Amino acid sequence: MPTDELKRFLAALSPANRHLVEQQPAEQQERLAAAWEAELREDHDLDTLSELSPPAAEAEAAERVVQELLGLR
């Protein structure tokens, strides 16, 4: 059963990347969601964006995590 963190992470992704993540094993999905939470906490550039649009900041961080950790860059 997905955690709330994983549900929020999946919701922040584009449909194509959401599908890609959903194809990953559960453990990898959890790792990606945890990395996304860390990205949101640690990236100070996202702070400004999150003040203007929290959903946009979450989406930006989610896409970055998927690209970096799944080797899409």
Side-chain angles (χ1 to χ4, degrees), residues 19-71:
H19 179 70
L20 182 64
V21 169
E22 288 172 335
Q23 292 178 340
Q24 302 298 312
E27 298 81 22
Q28 177 70 345
Q29 290 182 30
E30 292 292 336
R31 278 192 291 276
L32 290 165
W36 172 68
E37 285 287 347
E39 180 84 6
L40 288 172
R41 276 192 310 275
E42 297 168 7
D43 188 327
H44 299 293
D45 290 336
L46 287 174
D47 289 344
T48 301
L49 182 57
S50 71
E51 289 176 13
L52 300 172
S53 175
E58 289 183 351
E60 172 69 23
E63 298 296 329
R64 278 195 232 166
V65 165
V66 168
Q67 290 177 6
E68 287 179 23
L69 296 182
L70 295 182

Side-chain angles (χ1 to χ4, degrees), residues 5-13 21 29 32-33 36 62 65-66:
E5 180 179 85
L6 178 57
K7 288 179 188 177
R8 287 181 44 241
F9 172 62
L10 290 171
L13 287 168
V21 169
Q29 290 182 30
L32 290 165
W36 172 68
V65 165
V66 168

